[in-house]
Amino acid sequence: MKRWLTLKAFIIGKFVFLERLLDLKSIIISYYYSINLTIIMNVASLLSKQSKDVCIINYDKIKWNFYPYNIDFSLNCSPKSEIIVFEAENEREIPKNFRLVTTYKNLKIDGTKIKIDKVDINLYKSRIDDEEYLFRVINGKIEDYEIRDIDKEILNIITSLGNPCNLTDVINISQKKLNLPRDKIREELQFLIQIGKIKIHNKIIELI
């Protein structure tokens, strides 16, 4: 029951992923330069709207052709500033009081390490404290991805059958309830595997 409530909470909010980052000392580990850049811009904007000063270390590494949008915050590097470190390459670049770090390396620093994976065109996922987050980029903004109705229905069917449950039962019930061909149901199940919501082994489906 707890897992399903977590899923519902995720799909209601628009900026749940970004807000979660602000709860932590976050270390984003990602090879996607444009995603890292978009994340720091969005986080800096949110911090600024909370009336906090923002300082971005390695600001000179920003390639603005990857972020051709206006920014709605100003930088102020002072002892009270929230520290964001962009594309850190070593531990020496990161002060102890950082708020957010992006890097493609597994640096030895204290904080919550968050890996970003691409699961589809303009669709990314990360896991924080055993919770899966999906997001995409729309006009320079990180937006949580809302699971489609068909996928929510399939997850409901899996939940109602019991976890874990039989793959054939899920396909048969989903086909009748959703009035869709079996191949379409299999396609949606594969998508749910890709985004980390289910796993299938020996024709048994289990929620993750």
Side-chain angles (χ1 to χ4, degrees):
M1 187 65 178
K2 181 180 179 181
R3 182 181 288 109
W4 184 238
L5 289 173
T6 299
L7 174 61
K8 289 201 295 184
F10 163 73
I11 64 176
I12 289 171
K14 191 175 182 181
F15 303 111
V16 176
F17 174 64
L18 291 177
E19 290 167 356
R20 190 72 182 97
L21 293 183
L22 292 177
D23 289 338
L24 307 163
K25 291 183 66 175
S26 301
I27 305 158
I28 300 291
I29 303 174
S30 162
Y31 291 102
Y32 304 107
Y33 178 92
S34 61
I35 294 299
N36 295 351
L37 178 55
T38 303
I39 287 173
I40 70 158
M41 290 299 176
N42 280 237
V43 167
S45 177
L46 287 177
L47 289 170
S48 179
K49 289 173 182 176
Q50 296 174 4
S51 300
K52 296 180 179 179
D53 291 335
V54 178
C55 180
I56 299 179
I57 295 175
N58 292 334
Y59 190 78
D60 58 319
K61 289 185 178 182
I62 294 176
K63 300 175 183 178
W64 291 105
N65 57 309
F66 285 91
Y67 195 82
Y69 306 99
N70 294 327
I71 59 174
D72 59 358
F73 60 89
S74 57
L75 297 180
N76 182 15
C77 295
S78 70
K80 295 182 179 180
S81 295
E82 299 286 350
I83 305 296
I84 296 173
V85 186
F86 180 56
E87 300 300 80
E89 296 187 17
N90 58 66
E91 291 82 359
R92 295 187 302 276
E93 295 180 308
I94 304 170
K96 291 183 179 180
N97 63 332
F98 74 89
R99 188 66 177 270
L100 172 70
V101 172
T102 69
T103 181
Y104 61 89
K105 297 183 177 181
N106 187 18
L107 300 177
K108 296 179 180 179
I109 53 175
D110 292 330
T112 301
K113 295 185 177 181
I114 303 164
K115 186 179 178 183
I116 304 293
D117 293 309
K118 187 173 183 177
V119 296
D120 207 342
I121 298 173
N122 194 22
L123 182 60
Y124 300 85
K125 72 176 180 179
S126 67
R127 181 175 290 274
I128 306 174
D129 294 337
D130 295 326
E131 289 188 26
E132 197 84 29
Y133 295 84
L134 295 173
F135 65 89
R136 56 186 179 174
V137 178
I138 305 294
N139 296 325
K141 302 295 183 183
I142 298 290
E143 293 189 3
D144 295 320
Y145 176 80
E146 184 170 329
I147 295 176
R148 295 166 294 183
D149 288 342
I150 181 176
D151 297 313
K152 286 186 278 187
E153 286 292 343
I154 291 173
L155 289 170
N156 272 329
I157 289 168
I158 294 170
T159 302
S160 66
L161 287 173
N163 182 36
C165 57
N166 184 272
L167 172 61
T168 302
D169 291 342
V170 172
I171 292 175
N172 289 339
I173 294 172
S174 298
Q175 181 186 18
K176 293 177 181 178
K177 185 173 182 178
L178 302 175
N179 194 26
L180 292 170
R182 296 171 67 87
D183 286 346
K184 178 61 176 175
I185 301 302
R186 290 192 182 95
E187 179 182 318
E188 296 304 320
L189 288 171
Q190 185 60 41
F191 175 74
L192 290 171
I193 292 173
Q194 288 179 315
I195 65 175
K197 295 301 178 186
I198 65 171
K199 61 181 179 180
I200 300 177
H201 181 68
N202 291 333
K203 294 187 178 182
I204 298 296
I205 296 182
E206 185 176 356
L207 295 171
I208 298 176

